[in-house]
């Protein structure tokens, strides 16, 4: 498993003059720190274009690899207030990028059969009390940036020509309780939704990636979609769980940006599909130990993702549910014979005895 370095660990290495290991994974804040220090290192500028001097080529060549960061950041207390400010913000280049990204995620949801008809919805938080959201009654596979809406976290629409999704408040139920939830995606992926309507617990301690990127999967009781009761129920569960099964409804996930949230939708449906297939093989589900799970939880926290299991003891971690498919068919053995019928057996014996007696008298 590659080493994961936090911001404080990277800063300590930098101050001591030590190199960052080439195969190390960096948390988002650590990655931003490295990128900022190396962005303009050793560069000279001529006629408005950047060139690299020969003396700094080795330093530039050794620039640490980076991962794109799509998290939207804003300065607290700077939400636009007036109608003119709101319109300017809504049509700003940064927000236009997010609108296009929402359309891209919607297309991926629809292509993967996670949504049908006008199902599903997407939100991105863009201020203290602001969020972008998809409109109601629209296919997620064919959205355009101009279809998006701007709303406050109480669901009041501030900008956009189409009416916001009726389920935005469910997303905001999570965002209001969990500041790290910068984007939410709701959909109806078939395999995960099957668990939600069958009230089947998703087993844990089976695949490491699921434990790291999904964490403990939450379950929210059924409430009517779009209602305040549903927002409260899902919000309470979602504040500690990045992936939530909504009973008899579907799945909602959250992340630091909209693609991060979308990935979790793929993660949970793939995981449920794999569990379903494995359970049908008839050999049982073979779990790894709680000690190994503890390692994965620690890795998840190092990557900046919350996990309510972090304070649990090892003996409290893995659930003991023995998940089984809904029906198990057993083919009869070829050598199996029907149970004897006592009356038939008695009749056969009587005939046999009678034949033997007559033969003896002959």
């Amino acid at each position: 498993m590659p080493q994961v370095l936090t911001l404080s660990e990277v800063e300590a290495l930098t101050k001591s003059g030590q190199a960052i290991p080439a195969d190390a994974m960096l948390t988002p804040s650590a990655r931003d720190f490295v990128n900022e220090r190396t962005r303009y290192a050793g560069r000279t500028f001529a006629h408005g274009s950047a060139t690299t001097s020969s003396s700094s080529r080795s330093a530039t060549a050794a620039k640490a690899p980076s991962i794109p960061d799509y998290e939207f950041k804003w300065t607290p207390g700077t939400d636009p207030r007036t109608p003119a400010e709101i319109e300017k913000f809504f049509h700003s280049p940064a927000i236009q990028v997010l609108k296009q990204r929402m359309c891209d995620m919607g297309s991926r949801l629809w292509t993967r059969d996670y949504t049908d008809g006008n199902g599903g919805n997407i939100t991105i938080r863009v201020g203290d009390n602001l969020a972008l959201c998809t409109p109601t009654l629209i296919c997620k596979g064919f959205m355009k940036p101009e279809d998006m809406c701007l709303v406050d976290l109480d669901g009041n629409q501030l900008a956009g020509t189409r009416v916001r999704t009726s389920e935005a408040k469910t997303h905001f139920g999570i965002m209001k309780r969990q500041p790290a939830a910068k984007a939410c995606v709701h959909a109806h992926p078939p395999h995960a939704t099957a668990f939600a309507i069958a009230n089947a617990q998703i087993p844990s301690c089976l695949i490491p990636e699921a434990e790291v990127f999904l964490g403990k999967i939450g379950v929210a009781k059924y409430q009517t979609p779009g209602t305040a009761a549903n927002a409260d129920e899902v919000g309470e569960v979602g504040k500690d769980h990045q992936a939530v099964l909504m009973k008899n409804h579907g799945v909602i996930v959250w992340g630091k940006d909209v693609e991060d949230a979308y990935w979790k939708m793929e993660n949970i449906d793939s995981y449920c599909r794999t569990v379903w297939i494995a359970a049908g093989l008839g050999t049982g589900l073979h779990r790894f130990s709680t000690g190994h799970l503890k390692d994965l939880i620690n890795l998840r926290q190092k990557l900046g993702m919350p996990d309510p299991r972090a304070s649990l003891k090892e003996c409290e971690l893995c659930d003991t549910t023995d998940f089984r498919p809904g029906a198990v068919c057993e083919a009869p053995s070829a050598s199996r014979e029907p149970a004897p019928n006592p009356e038939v057996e008695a009749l056969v014996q009587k005939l046999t005895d009678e034949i033997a007696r007559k033969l003896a008298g002959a």
Side-chain angles (χ1 to χ4, degrees):
M1 183 178 296
Q3 181 183 11
V4 178
L5 298 179
T6 63
L7 173 60
S8 60
E9 291 170 334
V10 169
E11 287 177 332
L13 288 174
T14 303
K15 289 179 181 178
S16 64
Q18 300 180 59
I20 298 173
D23 61 344
M25 293 179 61
L26 305 181
T27 62
S29 57
R31 184 175 62 250
D32 291 343
F33 173 82
V34 171
N35 290 343
E36 188 64 29
R37 288 181 62 88
T38 58
R39 186 168 295 148
Y40 300 111
R43 296 195 171 195
T44 58
F45 296 85
H47 305 294
S49 62
T51 60
T52 305
S53 64
S54 58
S55 62
S56 65
R57 284 173 187 160
S58 59
T60 304
K63 179 181 177 180
S66 63
I67 300 173
D69 185 3
Y70 299 128
E71 181 179 353
F72 185 82
K73 301 178 178 68
W74 67 88
T75 302
T78 61
D79 284 4
R81 305 283 182 186
T82 68
E85 290 174 341
I86 290 171
E87 281 298 312
K88 182 178 179 180
F89 176 77
F90 185 58
H91 295 287
S92 65
I95 296 302
Q96 290 300 112
V97 169
L98 296 184
K99 292 177 185 176
Q100 182 59 57
R101 195 162 291 141
M102 292 170 74
C103 294
D104 294 342
M105 296 307 110
S107 178
R108 289 160 74 172
L109 287 168
W110 185 80
T111 302
R112 294 293 296 263
D113 288 333
Y114 293 167
T115 63
D116 60 320
N118 63 291
N121 35 75
I122 302 170
T123 56
I124 301 177
R125 189 169 183 177
V126 293
D128 295 341
N129 190 37
L130 295 173
L132 292 173
C133 73
T134 49
T136 190
L137 297 177
I138 193 170
C139 175
K140 302 308 170 293
F142 299 91
M143 298 187 299
K144 299 180 179 63
E146 55 266 29
D147 295 324
M148 300 303 111
C149 311
L150 182 70
V151 298
D152 65 26
L153 298 192
D154 291 321
N156 300 306
Q157 186 155 347
L158 305 176
T161 59
R162 296 192 59 141
V163 177
R164 68 158 175 85
T165 173
S166 61
E167 294 193 62
K169 290 184 179 180
T170 302
H171 299 224
F172 304 153
I174 297 175
M175 290 180 178
K176 286 180 177 181
R177 294 169 170 84
Q178 175 53 267
K182 296 292 186 66
C184 292
V185 175
H186 162 56
H188 312 123
H191 303 93
T193 302
F195 275 78
I197 65 177
N199 195 24
Q201 182 177 354
I202 301 177
S204 60
C205 296
L206 293 173
I207 300 177
E209 288 79 3
E211 301 298 344
V212 173
F213 295 111
L214 286 173
K216 177 69 174 177
I217 297 169
V219 179
K221 298 176 183 177
Y222 179 80
Q223 298 289 351
T224 303
T227 63
N230 195 50
D232 286 339
E233 172 65 22
V234 175
E236 281 299 313
V237 177
K239 68 182 180 182
D240 294 322
H241 302 84
Q242 286 193 273
V244 178
L245 290 185
M246 296 186 286
K247 286 187 177 181
N248 300 98
H249 188 181
V251 179
I252 189 167
V253 292
W254 63 263
K256 68 180 184 64
D257 59 68
V258 70
E259 186 160 29
D260 181 37
Y262 167 78
W263 284 341
K264 288 170 176 52
M265 190 66 72
E266 284 195 358
N267 293 154
I268 191 170
D269 199 58
S270 177
Y271 185 61
C272 289
R273 181 170 183 251
T274 302
V275 170
W276 166 59
I277 294 172
L281 296 178
T283 59
L285 301 180
H286 302 276
R287 304 169 189 264
F288 47 75
S289 71
T290 53
H292 287 129
L293 178 57
K294 195 71 174 178
D295 292 339
L296 298 173
I297 293 172
N298 292 337
L299 174 57
R300 177 175 167 81
Q301 289 191 297
K302 274 195 169 185
L303 292 172
M305 293 180 281
D307 198 307
R309 303 171 297 178
S311 60
L312 297 179
K313 299 176 182 178
E314 286 188 13
C315 61
E316 300 173 313
L317 287 175
C318 279
D319 62 78
T320 57
T321 302
D322 187 15
F323 176 77
R324 297 178 182 276
V328 178
C329 299
E330 182 181 357
S333 172
S335 61
R336 184 178 297 174
E337 297 180 358
N341 186 317
E343 294 181 359
V344 173
E345 290 294 311
L347 178 60
V348 170
Q349 186 62 50
K350 182 178 180 180
L351 292 172
T352 302
D353 292 344
E354 182 66 22
I355 292 171
R357 186 166 51 80
K358 289 185 177 181
L359 290 174

